[in-house]
Amino acid sequence: VNTKSIKKLQSLSTTPTTMRLIRLFSFLIPSHIYAFTQSLNHYTHRHELQASLDTVEESKQQAYELNNLFEKFASFLERKQSEIIAEIESMDGSEQKFCKDPWGIFSDDSSDVSTKSGGITRVFKNGNVIEKGACSLTLLKAGKLTKDRAASIRGRQESEDAQSIKEGDEYSAAALSMVLHTRSPFVPTFRSDVRIFMVQSSNGGETLAWFGGGADLTPYYLFDEDISFFHKKMRNLCENHSDDNDIINYKIMKQACDEYFYLPARSEHRGTGGIFFDDMSASSQSLSFVQEVVDSWMPSWFPIIEKRRKLECSEQQRQWQLLRRGRYLEFNLLYDRGVKFGLANANPRVEGVMVSAPPLIAWEYNHVIEEGSEEARLMEILKNPVDWV
């Protein structure tokens, strides 16, 4: 009997009504047909059971692989935090050092041996180049999704598996984020982060994980060659990992960055962008890309610092920097998903969440920008982003 016939017989012979009729009138059915029908029914149930067992085994294997990937990435972030901080302290050239504030599992005096979450907040201030900077490591394990968070994930994901995510599912997350506010208005503020978010279904279903992250600049005065240099670094990084599926694509990530760091109330973008990606399925390929994103942070920013750090600025230029920092804080408080996520916890670490805020800012009512000035040129770019590469 060919496969098509078997499938047709399966559809007919395994319905409850059909089986009752077969048993009732079995004396009228030729024995060889009746025996075949019964065998087919048993085969179908065995096949369905085996398929279920195979699905369970595949889910276990997937969960094992994603958990290993998660732990590998978390260890990478902890190591890179220390390396990047050493590079920044050396570059700054002052005697200032990053303070260290460990919490949770990373704290030496943690009394809760059952805790699986924690982080290390590192803060730098009053340097020669960096007026204030923060580099924060966060590790969250065995968290429970709230109804709103589960709905938010489902809303951003298109896969069928992601649509089953619900309130109460267990999640883990690891992230390294950095914001470096510069003293000189001629050196742009640098922001970057990478993260992984993993969800385990509470009813033993699929384990899913995604990467997110990026890097971008917020200049106060435009040096076009500096912004182009930064974007070329980001483009080359993406091209080194590009594929036919457009999962890693500079143009797409550049546009996503422009769209994300936008203040709709002001009709302006926060800075000149870079790359931004979210909900990238976690795999060995995407892991390699995200690790190289981290490796590219300082090499894409340090050369700009060396070109501009010694330029003298006026009090008016400093004041403009503080006004633009006000916009930076507006975005963080009103629109940034990371800030909202951090403050939504039952007992948020407010100091850790707000550590990215600038050290000094200014708001001026109805500030008027002189036509034809460098400040006006910047505002034109922030309202109408351009392709820097």
Side-chain angles (χ1 to χ4, degrees), residues 10-47:
Q10 282 179 323
S11 66
L12 292 172
S13 67
T14 58
T15 61
T17 302
T18 305
M19 290 310 300
R20 283 198 296 272
L21 288 171
I22 288 174
R23 286 193 295 270
L24 182 61
F25 296 102
S26 60
F27 66 93
L28 296 176
I29 302 174
S31 59
H32 67 282
I33 295 179
Y34 179 73
F36 174 75
T37 306
Q38 292 295 89
S39 298
L40 184 60
N41 185 46
H42 294 156
Y43 163 80
T44 299
H45 287 301
R46 287 199 306 272
H47 181 73

Side-chain angles (χ1 to χ4, degrees), residues 328-379:
Y328 197 101
L329 187 59
E330 281 182 29
F331 175 85
N332 282 9
L333 294 176
L334 295 175
Y335 307 111
D336 188 70
R337 287 206 303 260
V339 171
K340 291 181 178 179
F341 183 89
L343 295 177
N345 291 316
N347 297 295
R349 294 185 67 256
V350 178
E351 290 296 316
V353 175
M354 296 301 297
V355 74
S356 62
L360 295 171
I361 61 174
W363 275 289
E364 180 180 323
Y365 180 73
N366 200 25
H367 178 76
V368 177
I369 300 173
E370 181 182 348
E371 187 175 347
S373 65
E374 282 299 305
E375 292 84 358
R377 190 168 81 90
L378 173 67
M379 290 308 303

Side-chain angles (χ1 to χ4, degrees), residues 250-289:
Y250 164 75
K251 289 185 177 180
I252 292 174
M253 292 182 178
K254 194 265 187 190
Q255 181 178 350
C257 190
D258 290 339
E259 291 174 354
Y260 182 78
F261 294 104
Y262 180 70
L263 291 87
R266 301 278 188 181
S267 297
E268 64 187 50
H269 298 263
R270 193 180 71 176
T272 51
I275 60 172
F276 179 87
F277 58 95
D278 210 356
D279 304 322
M280 179 184 288
S281 294
S283 65
S284 57
Q285 179 187 2
S286 55
L287 171 64
S288 175
F289 168 70

